[in-house]
Amino acid sequence: MISWLDVDSPFPDVSKALAEPAGLLAAGADLSPQRLLEAYRRGIFPWFSEGQPILWWSTDPRMVLYTDRFIISDSLKKTLRKIERSRHTDRRWEIRFDSAFRDVMRACAGPRRDDAGTWISKDIVDGYCGLHRAGYAHSAEVWLEGKLVGGAYGVSIGQMFYGESMFARVTDASKVALAYLVHFLRRHGVQMIDCQQETPHLASLGAIPIPRNDFINHLRVAIEAPQIGFWHPLDLFPPA
């Protein structure tokens, strides 16, 4: 049996999460910035479909990406070098952070080839845009000739980053956004990105499952670090 949360109810301990469906912890409450921050600080995240109540999860094991283990394939590295040159020459390609957060979320909510549905409802978009305005949610964006073609977004607390979703409208654009995001986070002392649930795609990028207790122990320390103040993409490669 899971807990039903009123607006003022505290979250139960993550150890109370169900084994089946795996990780389901509670339902109800709201998606206010305060509630979302409380959830992430405890290793809990919302995930539910349109028409369902708000469902809160804490999976075990937890899929994470260590920023020093991000896998960049040879083909992706070639693409990144091309984009890096363009950023400093013709500017056909641009990498931006936080210039179109809501648009990134809406794009992530769009239909995909493998699944026409989405869990990123209007309420989710509004909730995370509230976090963005408060300085806790951020987007990495890939722009081609002035058009948004790829991106990723997530939640940042101290030196902990919680990845939420990515999208691509041209080949590898989501991976490009992630590469710049990972590089930025690593340079700012972030060791771990929460990926929540295990998928083959995340594994191909270097993410691995770890016990929930290890994840919780890490985030308890990481969230106490100062917030990253200035979000701006960094060069991936040293100047020639």
Side-chain angles (χ1 to χ4, degrees), residues 10-240:
F11 284 110
D13 189 86
V14 296
S15 64
K16 304 295 185 183
L18 300 181
E20 185 61 40
L24 181 59
L25 178 67
D30 59 26
L31 294 170
S32 66
Q34 296 77 13
R35 174 63 75 170
L36 288 168
L37 283 175
E38 180 188 1
Y40 281 105
R41 288 187 174 116
R42 295 171 178 268
I44 301 165
F45 60 91
W47 184 45
F48 59 99
S49 298
E50 195 78 48
Q52 291 182 326
I54 300 171
L55 301 178
W56 302 94
W57 304 75
S58 183
T59 50
D60 187 13
R62 190 75 162 229
M63 195 72 165
V64 303
L65 174 62
Y66 290 100
T67 55
D68 63 352
R69 301 183 193 177
F70 177 54
I71 296 173
I72 299 179
S73 66
D74 290 342
S75 62
L76 179 58
K77 184 176 290 187
K78 184 177 179 179
T79 298
L80 290 169
R81 289 191 179 278
K82 176 186 73 174
I83 291 173
E84 192 81 344
R85 286 194 300 270
S86 177
R87 291 178 66 218
H88 297 288
T89 55
D90 59 24
R91 296 182 65 83
R92 288 184 65 245
W93 291 91
E94 294 181 80
I95 306 298
R96 306 178 193 170
F97 287 173
D98 290 341
S99 75
F101 183 85
R102 183 179 289 269
D103 290 339
V104 169
M105 285 204 69
R106 286 172 172 164
C108 289
R112 316 214 174 187
R113 281 178 291 180
D114 57 346
D115 182 6
T118 180
W119 61 275
I120 305 175
S121 65
K122 182 182 182 301
D123 289 342
I124 286 282
V125 172
D126 290 344
Y128 283 80
C129 283
L131 273 187
H132 174 63
R133 289 190 295 271
Y136 289 99
H138 299 276
S139 59
E141 306 150 13
V142 182
W143 295 77
L144 175 59
E145 297 179 341
K147 295 181 180 179
L148 180 64
V149 297
Y153 78 94
V155 175
S156 174
I157 305 176
Q159 289 184 335
M160 188 71 205
F161 191 84
Y162 308 80
E164 285 297 318
S165 190
M166 303 185 294
F167 82 98
R169 291 173 177 156
V170 299
T171 301
D172 283 345
S174 59
K175 294 179 183 179
V176 169
L178 182 61
Y180 278 93
L181 179 60
V182 168
H183 181 62
F184 173 86
L185 292 171
R186 187 177 179 187
R187 289 284 295 272
H188 283 81
V190 176
Q191 300 176 17
M192 177 189 289
I193 297 174
D194 175 28
C195 301
Q196 299 176 354
Q197 301 187 64
E198 188 171 357
T199 69
H201 176 64
L202 290 170
S204 74
L205 299 174
I208 60 171
I210 65 171
R212 181 171 56 209
N213 283 344
D214 292 352
F215 171 74
I216 296 295
N217 288 337
H218 176 87
L219 76 84
R220 282 175 177 161
V221 175
I223 63 174
E224 295 302 323
Q227 283 292 104
I228 299 172
F230 182 61
W231 286 72
H232 185 76
L234 306 174
D235 289 346
L236 287 176
F237 306 105

